[in-house]
Amino acid sequence: MNFFFHRSPLILLLTSRYIRGSRVTGLLSIKSRISFIVMAVGVALLIVVLSIFNGFQRQLKESLWQGGEHITIESSSNGGEIRDYQKIIKYIQKDPELKDRIISVEGGIQSHGLIQRYNVFYPVLIKAVAVPNVDALIENKLHNFPRVVHYDREELGHLNRENYIILGKEMEDLYNFSLGKQLTLAVPGGRFSLGKGVEVSVQNFRVSGFFKTGNYKFDSSFVYMALPVAQKFFKMKDSVNQITIKAKSLDDLAISKRKLYKLFNSLEFEQEVDVASSLSVRTIAEEQENLLAALQLEKTIISIIVFLFIILAALGMVASVYSLVRAKRKSIGVLKALGLPASDILLIFTLNAMLVGILASLTGGVTGIFLANSLDSIIGYIEEIINMVGLSFTGSDWTPVELVPKRIYYFDKLPVDINIPFIFMVTTAATILSGIAGYFPARWAASLNPVDTIRND
C-alpha cells in the first residue's frame, strides 16, 4: 500500500483532493481568499512601484545624457579662460586610453545670464558650442547640441555670424518666448577688476529655434548660441571657459576622469600647456549625484514597504494551512493508516500553499503590468475628473490639479520601465514564500499520529 501511494502521481492528486474535501468551512475559505488577495495586490504594487522608479531613473539618465556634456574641464586661472584649448583637445584626442571611451571633445562657453523682456528679467544659463553644419544641427547629429524641434531654417544658417539663439522648449510656454521674438541678454563680459568690478555685456538676440531634451529643468533654463557669436558677446576673443566631452557610456565617466588627470599631470602636457596645473574635471554623474542617490533611496524604501505586503500574505498562508490541517485531521489519519507516507502528506500541503502563491503571483503580475502600462492614462483620467468636479463647485477660482507635477519631477510625462526579469524574480519569490509558509503546517500534518487523530476526531 505504501509503495502504491508513493509511486502514483494520480493517487497523490486524488489524495490531495480527499484531504481538501469538497466542503471547506467558511472561515477557511475567507482566510485563503484574503491571503490570495493580499499577495496578488502586493505583487502588483511592487511591479508598478518598481516600474515607475526604473522609468524615472532611465528617463533622468537619458535626458541628462542627451541634454548636456558628460565631462567638463575648467580652469581656475586667467579668470576661467582657456586660451590654448585647441592644444588641450588634441592631447585628449590622441591619448590611446581616452580615445576609445569618448565620442567627442570640444571647447565651449557656459555662463549665467539674464533675459530681459518688457522690463522683466529671467535668469538663464547660456551655453555656447561650435555649430559647423546647420544640416547636422537640424538632423540631431551634433554630439554637443540637444535635439532642435522647432526652428527657422534660414536663420539657423546664420547662427555663426549673427545674434540668433535657441531656447529650451519649456521657455516658450513659461515666458511666451515665441519664434522670431527679440530678447535682450545680459552677461558678464571681460575680466574682473577692483576698480570697475565686473563688466556687463548687453546685446539683443532673436529667437530662431527651440530644443527639447525631456529634462524639464534643462529645457526651462538653458539658452544655446554659436561659439563665435558667444566669444564676441563675452569678450573672450578666441578663448573658451570649458572643454566638454561626450562619453560612450556612464560607466566610462569615472575611468575617463582618472585618465584625464593622469594626462594633465604628465611632464609633456605640463610643458606644452600653461594652465595644466589649474585644470579641474567634473562629470555629470557627480553633478546629479544627490538626485540619483535620493531616487535610489526612495526606490529601495518603497520596495521594502511594498514587499511587506507579500510577507504579510505569506503569514496569512501559514494560518490558512494550519486551519486546513485542523479541519482535515481525521482524513489525514485515515490516509496515513492506509499507508500514505508522511513525506507525501508534507508534499500535499506544501504544494497546496504554493498553488495559491502561483495563482496570486500570476494574477498580481498580469495586473501590475497592465496598471504600469496604463498608469499615465489612468492618472490623466483622475486629473480630469478631479478638475471637472472642482471646477463645477468653485467655478473660475479653481486651480487645476496636477497629480504628477512636471516642475518637480522634470518630465513632461510619467515614465514607466517594465523590467521582465524583475517581474519573474518577484513572482518566483512570492511562490517560494508561499511554499515556505505552507511547509511548517505541513510538517505538523505529517507528524500526526493516525491512531490518535482517528480516535479523537
Side-chain angles (χ1 to χ4, degrees), residues 22 45 66 79 144 156 163 168 222 254 317 325 341 352 358 389 391 395 405 407:
S22 58
L45 285 177
Q66 296 171 4
N144 60 346
L156 289 185
N163 287 1
F222 270 77
M317 195 78 66
V325 172
N352 183 68
I358 291 171
V389 173
L391 192 61
R407 295 190 183 186

Side-chain angles (χ1 to χ4, degrees), residues 10-219:
L10 179 60
I11 294 298
L12 188 61
L13 178 61
L14 293 175
T15 304
S16 174
R17 293 288 296 174
Y18 176 66
I19 290 177
R20 291 175 61 205
S22 58
R23 291 176 296 177
V24 183
T25 63
L27 179 62
L28 177 61
S29 177
I30 292 174
K31 286 183 178 180
S32 299
R33 290 175 183 177
I34 290 175
S35 299
F36 172 84
I37 292 172
V38 172
M39 183 167 289
V41 170
V43 171
L45 285 177
L46 194 58
I47 291 172
V48 172
V49 169
L50 267 297
S51 297
I52 292 173
F53 274 100
N54 287 338
F56 266 71
Q57 289 179 326
R58 175 182 56 80
Q59 187 71 20
L60 178 62
K61 290 178 180 179
E62 286 182 359
S63 61
L64 292 175
W65 201 249
Q66 296 171 4
E69 62 279 351
H70 303 158
I71 302 174
T72 304
I73 302 171
E74 295 178 331
S75 173
S76 58
S77 62
N78 298 326
E81 289 189 30
I82 306 175
R83 297 189 181 92
D84 48 359
Y85 71 97
Q86 295 287 2
K87 188 181 297 184
I88 298 174
I89 291 174
K90 289 180 181 179
Y91 268 97
I92 295 173
Q93 288 176 333
K94 71 179 184 180
D95 187 284
E97 296 180 331
L98 291 169
K99 188 176 181 180
D100 296 332
R101 299 183 183 277
I102 63 176
I103 299 173
S104 66
V105 50
E106 297 173 352
I109 296 174
Q110 181 169 312
S111 174
H112 291 274
L114 293 172
I115 287 183
Q116 180 186 9
R117 186 170 181 237
Y118 301 140
N119 296 322
V120 179
F121 293 87
Y122 303 99
V124 293
L125 281 169
I126 300 172
K127 192 168 184 62
V129 297
V131 184
N133 190 315
V134 65
D135 292 328
L137 171 63
I138 295 173
E139 295 172 7
N140 194 31
K141 293 182 178 179
L142 296 181
H143 298 300
N144 60 346
F145 213 105
R147 179 170 57 96
V148 181
V149 294
H150 186 204
Y151 55 88
D152 184 318
R153 186 184 181 91
E154 183 179 352
E155 291 185 357
L156 289 185
H158 303 285
L159 199 63
N160 286 306
R161 299 187 299 274
E162 299 183 25
N163 287 1
Y164 293 128
I165 54 176
I166 300 177
L167 307 179
K169 183 63 178 175
E170 296 296 337
M171 299 177 74
E172 183 177 17
D173 298 327
L174 282 174
Y175 310 127
N176 195 27
F177 290 164
S178 57
L179 201 66
K181 290 289 183 180
Q182 291 285 345
L183 302 174
T184 301
L185 265 64
V187 298
R191 292 190 175 186
F192 171 80
S193 64
L194 293 175
K196 297 181 180 180
V198 178
E199 297 180 7
V200 178
S201 180
V202 181
Q203 291 185 21
N204 293 324
F205 286 82
R206 183 180 174 89
V207 179
S208 58
F210 293 93
F211 68 85
K212 185 175 183 178
T213 65
N215 185 322
Y216 183 84
K217 186 176 181 180
F218 199 96
D219 293 346

Side-chain angles (χ1 to χ4, degrees), residues 220-457:
S220 62
S221 59
F222 270 77
V223 175
Y224 271 75
M225 65 176 63
L227 183 59
V229 174
Q231 287 173 332
K232 296 178 182 177
F233 184 34
F234 285 89
K235 301 177 182 179
M236 296 181 68
K237 296 183 179 179
D238 295 328
S239 303
V240 298
N241 64 4
Q242 61 179 212
I243 297 172
T244 58
I245 296 175
K246 282 278 188 178
K248 293 182 178 179
S249 170
L250 275 173
D251 299 330
D252 292 333
L253 296 184
I255 299 174
S256 298
K257 181 177 179 178
R258 291 197 298 268
K259 300 297 182 184
L260 285 169
Y261 275 122
K262 181 180 177 181
L263 172 66
F264 297 160
N265 293 327
S266 64
L267 182 61
E268 180 184 358
F269 187 88
E270 290 180 344
Q271 291 176 344
E272 292 291 331
V273 179
D274 295 334
V275 295
S277 60
S278 67
L279 295 177
S280 62
V281 181
R282 71 174 190 273
T283 66
I284 194 171
E286 294 170 342
E287 294 176 358
Q288 302 296 331
E289 183 179 5
N290 291 337
L291 179 60
L292 294 172
L295 198 61
Q296 182 64 39
L297 180 60
E298 291 176 3
K299 174 182 174 182
T300 303
I301 292 174
I302 294 180
S303 299
I304 292 173
I305 293 172
V306 175
F307 193 72
L308 291 177
F309 278 95
I310 300 176
I311 296 177
L312 179 63
L315 294 176
M317 195 78 66
V318 174
S320 176
V321 178
Y322 263 120
S323 299
L324 179 62
V325 172
R326 291 182 63 87
K328 299 301 175 182
R329 283 167 57 93
K330 185 175 180 179
S331 301
I332 295 169
V334 171
L335 291 172
K336 291 192 71 176
L338 291 174
L340 184 67
S343 60
D344 286 352
I345 297 290
L346 180 69
L347 182 61
I348 288 167
F349 285 98
T350 304
L351 290 178
N352 183 68
M354 288 189 69
L355 180 61
V356 176
I358 291 171
L359 293 176
S361 299
L362 291 176
T363 304
V366 172
T367 305
I369 293 173
F370 171 77
L371 289 176
N373 281 323
S374 309
L375 198 58
D376 201 42
S377 300
I378 293 172
I379 291 177
Y381 291 142
I382 295 174
E383 286 180 354
E384 289 181 6
I385 293 173
I386 294 174
N387 290 326
M388 188 183 303
V389 173
L391 192 61
S392 63
F393 279 98
T394 62
S396 58
D397 295 333
W398 175 256
T399 302
V401 173
E402 196 174 10
L403 296 179
V404 185
K406 62 182 180 180
R407 295 190 183 186
I408 296 176
Y409 295 107
Y410 301 162
F411 305 120
D412 50 8
K413 65 178 181 178
L414 186 67
V416 175
D417 184 16
I418 299 175
N419 191 331
I420 299 301
F422 173 78
I423 294 175
F424 177 77
M425 182 183 69
V426 170
T427 53
T428 302
T431 303
I432 293 173
L433 282 175
S434 300
I436 295 173
Y439 172 78
F440 296 101
R443 282 191 62 184
W444 177 51
S447 65
L448 290 175
N449 189 312
V451 177
D452 294 338
T453 55
I454 294 172
R455 182 175 59 245
N456 296 332
D457 294 333

